[in-house]
Amino acid sequence: MNKYLLKVFKGGLTFVLMASTMSFKVMAAETYQPGATVIKDELSPSGYTVHFVYKDTSGKTVESVSVTGPFQYVDPNKDLKAADNQYGPDEYVNGMYATNFAPGAGMANGWGYTETMVYNASAGQYEADFPITSGSFAYSYIVKYVGEDAITIDDPANPSPAKNNSNSDIATGDSTHSIVYGRYDADKQSKSLNLDYVLQSSGSKGTLQYVEYTGNLSSHQDLGIYLPAGYDKNREKPYKVIYASHGGGGNETDWFAMGHADNIMDNLINSGQTEEAIVVTMDNASYNWDFAKIEDNVLHYIIPYMETNYNVSASVNDRAFCGLSMGGMTTTHMYFDHPDAFGYFGIFSGTDMKALTDKPELSYPIVTATVGTCDIASATIMSGEDIKYEDLVKWAADNSMDNFIDGGYLYGAHDWFVWAQSFQHFVKNIVWSQNNEDIFTKELLNNNYAEVDHLAVTKISGDQTSLNGVYHVDEGTQSNPCGLENNGSSMYFIVDENKTLLIDAGNGFYSEDFEVIMNALSVNRTLEVAITHNHGDHIGELKNKTIAAGTRVYISEGDYDEATQALLNDYDVSLIAEGDTIDTAQYSLEAINLRGHTDGSIAYLDAKRQVLYSGDGMGSGFVWLLFTENPLTTYEADMKALYNTVKDMEQLTILPGHAWQQTYGELAPGELNMQYIEDMLALLQAIKDGNAAMKDYQALNREGDVEITYNGLKAVIDTTRLAVQQFTAKPTPPIENEEQQDTPKVTQPKVADTGDATSIIGLAGLSILAIAGAFVLTKKKKV
């Protein structure tokens, strides 16, 4: 026996760590069972000793047994290519690191460490022991029977975890490798690597499963899938995904069996160093490394499979791709060919610059590369053209690729020490860590459209090479266009060189998402906010204080009631009236009264560009005139005034407060333009003449509410029977310059009151009801 165990045995009992169970137990030293047992050993130079036991049950005559694995060390303070810079585990000194290849020993003698095991006749087993450091060590037994060639096997008492997927189409070369975990000693390994993050977590653990899917080769291709602890298939926020490729000779099991990606994820999640995410591994060896076919399979088969069967995000920025060795070359091809398919790329110990393209999207994702200090994928260890880590680093520097993050040289070789470090670095420091505003900005500039979880942003107009322009922010997405509770609101950003103007502030349902958008569109600019009216679904982000205190906020005096004053107390409020303008360097918006929805509803007209930001003042296909005194009379007067202001604008576009309503339901009007204004005035005239159709309106569950339509017009009015009576009982009050105003004329056949208790659209749970009741108006001077 080794001197370390002989000395430990004198203590009688000791704490031991069984590699097969990874749990601490107290047992007598003489009860070591077959397998690999790690014990705390104060006499070991690393603080720990591993004890291997192999018991042969073949019935054959054994000539010799050896244990082999990456148990050799190099000294980083010496020349790595020095012939004597190769040490066995008994020679370990604090500061050295384990490596599967010692460059100084050359290609013939530099790989791994092998020790002949000693036969213990009394126990009938072969034994070996030596110091072990922190990390995961893949070991095998070399068994030589008399008269036969030596064979390499995994430990029968601790089988290779690479065998966990019995359905694998391609066997991995790691099926003969068992795993033993060393541990970190803060004193004796203080100058060496702490790789304990590859050990099983003592906290919550995710689950690992292997599944078959239909790929572009067959209907039974294999995936490995790590799901974080507590995975919820119904969680509102979908999970982000890391797709990982193995290297040559591997398969879908390697990243978990040898690289311990599942343990790394558990430990990082439990320590709060990354967010919950899914890891998906694949079998790329089946393709004989045909990169084009692999890319097609990932993009058109694996990703759709995951998005169909698991609760994963479809956002590019929520996907990452990485790989090692040949998988690193695969990742390089994926990056150069499809830079817009993933938000992050991790290239470990292998690249292929022959795959280089000149796509402008190469600057969008975050890319990192790593290599081992003793790695044959480094030009410092082995020569090669266009396939070395340094080739990629040089290209990134020569082309000023600001999105490239050099992960550098990591202690180790072309081995799992380096690849576990690389994956941990990728997950902890790279993925999801890119500034969310930067991710959003890149996607928006590239596509004129981007989603930030629950919010969708569309660039309506402006400079295509900068942020300057007009943006529609919708509290709904392509997959959920109506938004939360069918009440998604529309907000509009007008971005200029020095100022960003936000029109309306939404419900505030998704303040975290809104903040990303707001920060991106107002970077290095002064932000101001113009409110069309004071209902809760248009001032939510002000209520939530997502918008910074002290920000200038424009609102009409008619809507600046006591409740709104209290809500906006932290802001620089400027009362705005009809005819006032809000100006930026390139834009000028004039305030236009559209009262009726609220007492102070206002729209903002960009006359130069013929754009009207209407809020809820004329609705998004139907207008609610349900909350104010005699709303139809005031509304008609303001609509007539608006018509005379814009009647000559042939290209007028109306941007409303709930854009999704333009395409929702049987009465959806579609695009809002001058025709919508004309239809609204025709409907008002039909109401006045008694020709409009009315039916009970129950969206608010109030008696007396009615929905009014007329003769197929786009416009719809929801109001009260009392408001109709008030409107038809007396003439519309005169307005200034009435004799000069034009009103579109229509011929109106009479239509009876249907009295149906139906609703144009279900809007249950609207947040505006909390603030849309009768307001007590308090007159204030402009501020």
Side-chain angles (χ1 to χ4, degrees), residues 477-783:
T477 60
Q478 291 177 346
S479 60
N480 182 28
C482 301
L484 185 65
E485 296 182 351
N486 280 353
N487 191 41
S489 293
S490 292
M491 298 170 274
Y492 301 93
F493 281 94
I494 299 174
V495 182
D496 216 333
E497 290 295 340
N498 300 311
K499 181 187 287 188
T500 294
L501 178 66
L502 169 64
I503 298 178
D504 283 344
N507 284 281
F509 291 149
Y510 309 111
S511 292
E512 184 177 340
D513 301 339
F514 172 80
E515 189 171 18
V516 171
I517 298 167
M518 176 184 67
N519 290 342
L521 295 180
S522 63
V523 62
N524 299 322
R525 296 168 173 86
T526 300
L527 177 67
E528 295 182 349
V529 183
I531 298 301
T532 61
H533 63 291
N534 66 357
H535 281 174
D537 55 339
H538 292 265
I539 58 174
E541 300 300 349
L542 292 165
K543 180 180 179 181
N544 293 348
K545 308 301 180 186
T546 314
I547 299 168
T551 299
R552 172 69 58 87
V553 176
Y554 301 93
I555 191 170
S556 71
E557 187 171 7
D559 273 3
Y560 197 52
D561 57 80
E562 290 181 352
T564 306
Q565 291 176 44
L567 187 147
L568 299 179
N569 185 58
D570 293 335
Y571 296 99
D572 177 16
V573 176
S574 179
L575 298 184
I576 192 166
E578 182 167 23
D580 292 345
T581 61
I582 304 173
D583 298 315
T584 72
Q586 300 294 327
Y587 296 84
S588 181
L589 274 66
E590 178 185 354
I592 304 288
N593 281 338
L594 276 181
R595 297 162 297 177
H597 183 65
T598 67
D599 288 313
S601 289
I602 205 163
Y604 296 96
L605 176 64
D606 181 350
K608 179 179 178 180
R609 294 168 180 81
Q610 299 188 25
V611 177
L612 181 71
Y613 303 89
S614 61
D616 288 350
M618 67 175 71
S620 308
F622 62 95
V623 61
W624 275 11
L625 304 178
L626 294 162
F627 310 119
T628 62
E629 192 80 20
N630 194 10
L632 290 168
T633 301
T634 305
Y635 184 62
E636 182 188 45
D638 286 348
M639 285 298 296
K640 287 183 175 180
L642 171 64
Y643 175 77
N644 277 276
T645 300
V646 302
K647 63 183 179 181
D648 295 326
M649 297 182 183
E650 296 180 357
Q651 304 300 320
L652 179 69
T653 298
I654 300 170
L655 300 178
H658 300 274
W660 63 270
Q661 294 173 2
Q662 294 174 246
T663 56
Y664 187 92
E666 294 180 1
L667 299 176
E671 182 181 354
L672 301 184
N673 49 31
M674 183 66 71
Q675 185 63 52
Y676 183 64
I677 297 176
E678 293 174 354
D679 284 4
M680 190 65 75
L681 286 168
L683 177 59
L684 287 163
Q685 186 63 45
I687 296 171
K688 186 178 291 184
D689 294 341
N691 295 330
M694 289 193 303
K695 59 183 178 182
D696 292 337
Y697 184 59
Q698 294 187 331
L700 304 183
N701 296 316
R702 303 190 318 185
E703 185 175 353
D705 288 352
V706 291
E707 176 182 291
I708 307 175
T709 58
Y710 172 65
N711 201 27
L713 297 177
K714 287 186 175 183
V716 178
I717 291 176
D718 301 317
T719 188
T720 65
R721 291 184 182 274
L722 175 60
V724 174
Q725 293 169 8
Q726 292 171 331
F727 183 52
T728 57
K730 58 185 179 180
T732 303
I735 61 176
E736 188 176 353
N737 298 325
E738 184 174 12
E739 68 280 359
Q740 299 177 6
Q741 295 191 3
D742 299 322
T743 302
K745 292 181 172 57
V746 295
T747 302
Q748 306 130 343
K750 294 202 174 215
V751 182
D753 182 349
T754 64
D756 292 341
T758 57
S759 166
I760 184 174
I761 191 167
L763 295 172
L766 289 178
S767 62
I768 66 172
L769 298 183
I771 194 169
F775 293 103
V776 178
L777 298 184
T778 304
K779 297 292 185 180
K780 290 289 182 180
K781 295 181 179 179
K782 287 189 178 182
V783 295

Side-chain angles (χ1 to χ4, degrees), residues 357-376:
T357 63
D358 59 355
K359 296 178 183 291
E361 295 85 358
L362 291 175
S363 64
Y364 294 162
I366 296 299
V367 182
T368 191
T370 59
V371 75
T373 51
C374 303
D375 198 333
I376 58 173

Side-chain angles (χ1 to χ4, degrees), residues 143-157:
V143 181
K144 176 71 169 65
Y145 297 109
V146 173
E148 298 182 14
D149 293 335
I151 58 173
T152 300
I153 61 171
D154 60 332
D155 188 339

